[in-house]
Amino acid sequence: MTSTALLYLTVIALLITVAASDTPATGYTNHTVGGPAGWFFDAKNNISATSYSSWAGNQTFNLGDYLIFNTNTNQTVIQTYNETTFNSCTADDASDDDTFQYNGGSNEFGQKATIAVPLTMMGSNYFFSDAEDGVQCQQGMAFEISVKRGLGLPPSLNQPPPPPYIEPPGPDTAQPPPITINGGSPALDNGVSRTVANVCFPLTALLMAIASVWM
């Protein structure tokens, strides 16, 4: 085989690799965090169950995908878009606008939990467990992913936020309903007009009587 043929084969192989890497998403994916190892911390050996950074590095994440955390209540699931919060391994001082904590609905330790976290924002997403005062995070229970657009958010995750809550007025601030008068002027105006007319008529008669005396 000539060097020219080898060159052609190399170029073709590179083109196939690039095309495969740029293949658009055709659906949404559920990613089981950590694979078979799940989302666990080995407290006896003070180490995470697997390398979550390595696991994340072998995945492609798109908007609308879900991360599935198979875990128990000895671990926490913290999602943040704030790198400083991620590096601190604690959500204590985090903002509610960029950091969220998920739980399995139980406050008892050791309870099995499956937590599904939707990916709704492109770019860097950070995840960690801040249990044991951040020790789990410091010992490997943390990873970063980069979320691509893919197919975009599905309708189920692309709903507008609900309107802000407005407290209804209390009984002290209640106002009576407005009075609606159908046809003509309000009764008060009509009454004033009649009163003026009634006053003007006898006054005119009195003036005429006085004038006739002086004539």
Side-chain angles (χ1 to χ4, degrees):
M1 186 178 293
T2 65
S3 57
T4 303
L6 287 174
L7 179 61
Y8 285 153
L9 290 175
T10 302
V11 171
I12 292 173
L14 288 173
L15 291 174
I16 292 174
T17 302
V18 171
S21 64
D22 291 338
T23 301
T26 57
Y28 300 102
T29 303
N30 291 338
H31 305 269
T32 302
V33 176
W39 182 246
F40 289 98
F41 186 74
D42 183 351
K44 182 178 180 180
N45 296 308
N46 200 36
I47 191 172
S48 59
T50 189
S51 172
Y52 295 103
S53 294
S54 297
W55 168 83
N58 292 321
Q59 309 286 319
T60 299
F61 303 97
N62 295 301
L63 289 175
D65 289 356
Y66 275 81
L67 298 189
I68 309 299
F69 291 81
N70 291 324
T71 184
N72 64 31
T73 51
N74 293 356
Q75 293 74 218
T76 63
V77 176
I78 309 292
Q79 179 188 24
T80 184
Y81 306 115
N82 189 315
E83 186 176 6
T84 300
T85 299
F86 175 67
N87 290 331
S88 71
C89 283
T90 179
D92 289 347
D93 298 323
S95 168
D96 292 339
D97 295 332
D98 59 24
T99 302
F100 312 94
Q101 179 168 350
Y102 299 85
N103 61 61
S106 174
N107 294 324
E108 298 182 11
F109 285 108
Q111 297 297 308
K112 184 178 179 181
T114 298
I115 299 172
V117 178
L119 301 180
T120 60
M121 184 173 292
M122 292 177 59
S124 295
N125 287 231
Y126 306 93
F127 297 86
F128 64 95
S129 170
D130 68 347
E132 301 182 25
D133 296 326
V135 170
Q136 293 187 1
C137 170
Q138 296 164 7
Q139 296 301 116
M141 291 203 70
F143 63 95
E144 173 188 358
I145 65 174
S146 179
V147 179
K148 301 178 181 179
R149 176 171 177 76
L151 298 177
L153 287 175
S156 59
L157 295 176
N158 198 23
Q159 300 297 322
Y165 174 76
I166 300 177
E167 185 176 354
D172 295 338
T173 60
Q175 298 293 327
I179 299 175
T180 302
I181 300 175
N182 296 323
S185 302
L188 180 60
D189 292 342
N190 291 337
V192 170
S193 301
R194 288 194 298 270
T195 301
V196 172
N198 293 335
V199 170
C200 289
F201 178 74
L203 182 59
T204 302
L206 178 61
L207 291 174
M208 292 178 65
I210 294 173
S212 65
V213 171
W214 286 97
M215 291 179 65

